[in-house]
Amino acid sequence: MGSCKSPHIVLLLYVLLCSVYRCFAIGVDANQTANLLIDASQASARPISDTLFGIFFEEINHAGAGGVWAELVSNRGFEAGGPNTPSNIDPWAIIGNESFLIVSTDRSSCFDRNKVALRMEVLCDTQGANSCPAGGVGIYNPGFWGMNIEKGKTYNTVLYVRSSGSINVSVSLTGSDGLQKLAAANIIASGSEVSNWTKFEVQLIAQGTNPNSRLQLTTTSKGVIWFDQVSAIPLDTYKGHGFRKDLVQMLADLKPQFFRFPGGCFVEGEWLRNAFRWKETIGPWEERPGHFGDVWMYWTDDGLGYFEFLQLSEDLGSLPIWVFNNGISHNDQVDTSSVLPFVQEALDGIEFARGSPNSTWGSLRAAMGHPEPFDLRYVAIGNEDCGKKNYRGNYLKFFSAIRNAYPDIKMISNCDGSSRQLDHPADMYDFHIYTSASNLFSMANHFDHTSRNGPKAFVSEYAVTGKDAGRGSLLAALAEAGFLIGLEKNSDIVEMASYAPLFVNTHDRRWNPDAIVFDSSQLYGTPSYWVQCLFNESSGATLYNSTLQMNSSTSLLASAISWQNSENENTYLRIKVVNLGTNTVNLQVFVDGLEPNSISLSGSTKTVLTSNNQMDENSFNDPTKVIPKQSLLESAGEEMEVVISPRSFTSIDLLMESSDIIRTTGADSVSVSSI
């Protein structure tokens, strides 16, 4: 179609012909033109869920251990090899050879829940025929594929030591080969001082930088020394709570309204014996037994435990959503008649988060430094367990007990209620979708026909996967943007949505793709991450009816919202357009329902996410290859033409001068690069 001479009449006709609320629309005509009609009147306005967009964290791809949790030492308690001795101490390794020392494990630790300790018998000495090498002998830990040590920063190092005699142990941070000395301190103690387990704490100030460093414990003195619970963590962490700053800042930039944790399949385990059990992850870090995550196949010391997840959620200003095990793993499950101990474990976990400092479990939270309750309002009863034999029976036991004890908590079922009503009570239901780009883009209208009665949807896991995704392609991101526009338009029934997975350490890519890629010292967001950034003002914003006029093609989707920048209180009309097609589109935009001259002639912007090839990705070598680029919009107004690039996501912010448009309390604008 050509440009409409009378947009108001066209809009009226369109309302009569088609429910504006349901019109998503579609395609580009042969002339590469399309019309977007926006009704910005108060009669059209509908509030978007305050909690629509958030994040889902799972301990997968070393997202926590070796990722967002800033602990540098891997297998700090020597427990990863299992409770039996002798045990595998990987990735710890020996400095020296068997003529100088013998390293083994025994069950002599002073910690009841993690008894394995490392025993180091030093055979050489400071002098004599069998003198130790000049640099000493001992053990080292390379961390999670190298420790990132930065000049001038301080690293708090803690270790527990016992010995049969006096000790002189060097605690040092070095390069990967041990030659570059970055920081060092000596622990010197008499035999009487270390005859029993003794805690030592030293602060190492780095004199150099190396992203592939290691921690060494060495000596040149003959004798037997035991080590346990060896930790090294930078003092400079996010809000001082032990989280890696750059990774968490990436989360903060998303302005997530909720934080779902800790999984995912990680919650279930392949077997119940390896499921995440919250009571094992709280209290002093030295006393946490850790566990093997048998779904994603690595050991976690559980320094990032239930308390830390709640703390991180609070630090991000997000509402926590706790996913707990309901007595079901991938391969075994508890019969409903025997599930009450699991129910009590969940109730205790809620009390830990919300209980008063005088309550049984709330007092433990207070002892950990957080006397005020956490704002836990949501729990998910299991993860992807709907098809399991005992799920409904177990679920009802949990639902009844939690509703009785905490009537305000919203409970999330694993069963999908988007196509048919649930056969059990729930406040929300989980909806997970991993599929191709074309399928996900076509699912923009999936919730159009969902019943508006009953529980709301929580799209807690979505992503384009498979060959379309690469390792985070533009194509995947554009399809996800189209899907999110559909969720935005259906936010009366979709209460929450989050991408998955959130993180991947490039050295342990168990799942592909992911939103944020990192190693010990660097990181970047995939195009999918940047799409989420461009939706972070939608939560709590105001949605307007919008209609695309085109032929039967299916390459274009659009939406319109208003949001307010909390820093300068400016209100914007935001128009988002996804073009999954290969043609440039000349989009004619008509905004109706505003007072004349409501749109400022200056101060409006256009932000575009695109690239030369739909399979383009970001990387460590080119972390900004596919990111949003912002420019000033020169032709802002109630009627304007905008060029929409092929294979692109465009976000237009029109600055409003008048207060007649509904003002919202949306989040701040995303930071993007300028062109």
Side-chain angles (χ1 to χ4, degrees):
M1 292 183 182
S3 300
C4 290
K5 293 181 180 179
S6 180
H8 305 303
I9 294 175
V10 172
L11 180 60
L12 178 60
L13 289 173
Y14 232 70
V15 171
L16 293 174
L17 292 172
C18 161
S19 167
V20 177
Y21 175 65
R22 294 284 183 256
C23 284
F24 274 100
I26 33 187
V28 183
D29 62 20
N31 297 323
Q32 302 178 356
T33 63
N35 296 332
L36 176 62
L37 313 177
I38 298 169
D39 180 0
S41 67
Q42 292 197 15
S44 158
R46 288 180 287 121
I48 296 176
S49 165
D50 289 339
T51 57
L52 184 55
F53 293 118
I55 53 178
F56 161 45
F57 181 96
E58 179 166 11
E59 181 59 273
I60 180 176
N61 307 321
H62 275 87
V68 73
W69 187 240
E71 172 64 64
L72 296 176
V73 178
S74 176
N75 189 19
R76 65 187 178 193
F78 308 101
E79 310 291 331
N84 298 319
T85 56
S87 177
N88 186 355
I89 63 172
D90 185 74
W92 290 93
I94 297 171
I95 301 170
N97 60 45
E98 60 188 15
S99 67
F100 293 137
L101 79 168
I102 300 171
V103 172
S104 61
T105 54
D106 61 25
R107 292 180 52 81
S108 65
S109 174
C110 59
F111 300 110
D112 291 336
R113 295 197 295 173
N114 39 19
K115 296 300 295 183
V116 177
L118 183 133
R119 181 183 186 274
M120 184 173 79
E121 183 176 359
V122 180
L123 306 176
C124 58
D125 211 341
T126 53
Q127 55 187 1
N130 191 28
S131 60
C132 295
V137 298
I139 55 174
Y140 72 87
N141 188 288
F144 299 90
W145 302 282
M147 299 179 179
N148 183 39
I149 303 303
E150 298 178 79
K151 184 177 181 178
K153 290 194 173 181
T154 301
Y155 299 85
N156 193 58
T157 306
V158 175
L159 62 159
Y160 287 77
V161 181
R162 181 170 71 90
S163 178
S164 57
S166 61
I167 61 168
N168 186 341
V169 174
S170 174
V171 182
S172 60
L173 295 169
T174 75
S176 60
D177 57 5
L179 298 179
Q180 181 189 15
K181 298 294 183 181
L182 300 169
N186 278 61
I187 296 176
I188 301 173
S190 65
S192 61
E193 291 175 306
V194 289
S195 59
N196 295 313
W197 283 104
T198 304
K199 178 181 180 180
F200 291 92
E201 185 167 352
V202 296
Q203 293 193 345
L204 301 176
I205 302 175
Q207 304 302 308
T209 295
N210 190 326
N212 191 27
S213 301
R214 70 190 200 187
L215 176 73
Q216 295 190 164
L217 304 176
T218 55
T219 186
T220 57
S221 300
K222 187 175 183 179
V224 180
I225 307 173
W226 286 262
F227 296 109
D228 198 13
Q229 297 303 325
V230 182
S231 168
I233 192 165
L235 285 186
D236 186 21
T237 61
Y238 192 82
K239 296 193 175 181
H241 291 144
F243 306 111
R244 180 172 153 179
K245 290 181 73 174
D246 56 346
L247 293 181
V248 178
Q249 187 58 54
M250 290 280 281
L251 303 185
D253 290 344
L254 290 173
K255 302 180 177 68
Q257 300 303 303
F258 64 83
F259 181 74
R260 178 181 180 235
F261 67 87
C265 298
F266 183 71
V267 169
E268 300 164 281
E270 288 292 336
W271 299 91
L272 279 172
R273 63 177 176 266
N274 292 320
F276 180 86
R277 306 299 288 272
W278 76 268
K279 290 183 180 180
E280 301 293 289
T281 73
I282 60 170
W285 60 265
E286 301 98 327
E287 298 176 9
R288 301 180 191 183
H291 79 286
F292 181 66
D294 60 356
V295 176
W296 306 122
M297 301 300 290
Y298 60 90
W299 173 264
T300 60
D301 289 309
D302 287 329
L304 179 60
Y306 182 44
F307 176 89
E308 287 74 23
F309 281 119
L310 291 165
Q311 183 66 67
L312 180 55
S313 181
E314 183 177 86
D315 288 348
L316 291 170
S318 308
L319 293 171
I321 301 178
W322 178 35
V323 187
F324 56 72
N325 189 286
N326 65 102
I328 296 175
S329 77
H330 289 177
N331 291 302
D332 58 345
Q333 51 188 295
V334 174
D335 190 83
T336 299
S337 63
S338 306
V339 82
L340 287 182
F342 283 78
V343 174
Q344 188 59 52
E345 183 177 354
L347 291 171
D348 292 345
I350 296 172
E351 181 179 280
F352 176 87
R354 292 183 30 155
S356 77
N358 299 320
S359 63
T360 300
W361 292 101
S363 64
L364 184 52
R365 180 200 68 240
M368 293 181 69
H370 202 286
E372 294 300 317
F374 289 106
D375 190 12
L376 180 64
R377 306 181 196 176
Y378 303 89
V379 297
I381 303 173
N383 172 76
E384 294 182 350
D385 293 326
C386 185
K388 307 289 177 61
K389 180 182 69 172
N390 294 337
Y391 182 70
R392 280 172 176 78
N394 290 7
Y395 173 91
L396 290 172
K397 293 286 188 182
F398 282 93
F399 186 92
S400 177
I402 294 171
R403 180 60 28 105
N404 182 60
Y406 300 95
D408 64 305
I409 283 188
K410 290 186 176 182
M411 285 173 276
I412 304 164
S413 167
N414 289 181
C415 300
D416 175 18
S418 64
S419 300
R420 61 181 179 180
Q421 291 190 342
L422 300 181
D423 61 0
H424 54 275
D427 298 297
M428 285 190 283
Y429 58 84
D430 241 341
F431 182 88
H432 295 182
I433 179 68
Y434 297 102
T435 187
S436 67
S438 59
N439 283 347
L440 192 64
F441 190 77
S442 69
M443 289 184 68
N445 62 359
H446 177 79
F447 290 95
D448 286 11
H449 309 294
T450 297
S451 171
R452 265 47 192 174
N453 300 316
K456 295 189 176 185
F458 179 17
V459 184
S460 64
E461 299 183 32
Y462 74 85
V464 170
T465 53
K467 64 180 182 180
D468 290 344
R471 289 200 167 189
S473 69
L474 171 65
L475 175 63
L478 296 180
E480 290 155 6
F483 179 64
L484 295 185
I485 282 179
L487 300 188
E488 196 174 68
K489 290 192 170 185
N490 282 285
S491 61
D492 62 318
I493 191 63
V494 180
E495 188 152 326
M496 297 177 170
S498 51
Y499 179 95
L502 191 58
F503 284 115
V504 59
N505 187 314
T506 190
H507 295 285
D508 186 35
R509 195 179 283 268
R510 296 279 174 172
W511 184 281
N512 187 70
D514 311 270
I516 300 168
V517 183
F518 68 92
D519 62 15
S520 69
S521 62
Q522 54 190 338
L523 74 167
Y524 64 86
T526 62
S528 295
Y529 170 84
W530 292 108
V531 162
Q532 294 172 67
C533 284
L534 291 170
F535 276 87
N536 64 10
E537 295 89 0
S538 293
S539 300
T542 299
L543 177 72
Y544 296 106
N545 291 340
S546 59
T547 304
L548 274 165
Q549 292 180 331
M550 294 165 298
N551 62 15
S552 60
S553 179
T554 56
S555 61
L556 217 63
L557 291 169
S559 68
I561 66 170
S562 66
W563 65 281
Q564 186 179 66
N565 187 315
S566 61
E567 291 185 1
N568 56 27
E569 297 188 352
N570 286 338
T571 298
Y572 295 88
L573 179 67
R574 167 163 287 193
I575 302 167
K576 294 192 288 292
V577 184
V578 181
N579 182 7
L580 203 63
T582 57
N583 293 325
T584 298
V585 179
N586 295 319
L587 183 68
Q588 302 289 333
V589 178
F590 303 96
V591 182
D592 197 14
L594 297 176
E595 293 294 326
N597 303 314
S598 295
I599 298 176
S600 173
L601 296 178
S602 61
S604 296
T605 59
K606 175 183 175 182
T607 304
V608 181
L609 180 71
T610 191
S611 193
N612 294 329
N613 188 297
Q614 66 178 6
M615 296 308 295
D616 280 350
E617 306 172 355
N618 294 327
S619 64
F620 289 131
N621 290 331
D622 194 354
T624 60
K625 184 175 185 177
V626 191
I627 65 170
K629 293 182 171 61
Q630 188 179 86
S631 59
L632 292 176
L633 190 66
E634 297 179 357
S635 59
E638 284 85 352
E639 298 184 13
M640 59 183 182
E641 180 175 308
V642 181
V643 177
I644 305 298
S645 301
R647 302 294 197 195
S648 69
F649 177 31
T650 301
S651 180
I652 300 165
D653 275 320
L654 301 177
L655 176 61
M656 308 305 297
E657 289 188 339
S658 172
S659 61
D660 65 301
I661 193 166
I662 293 179
R663 298 179 72 83
T664 65
T665 56
D668 301 341
S669 176
V670 62
S671 296
V672 294
S673 66
S674 298
I675 57 174

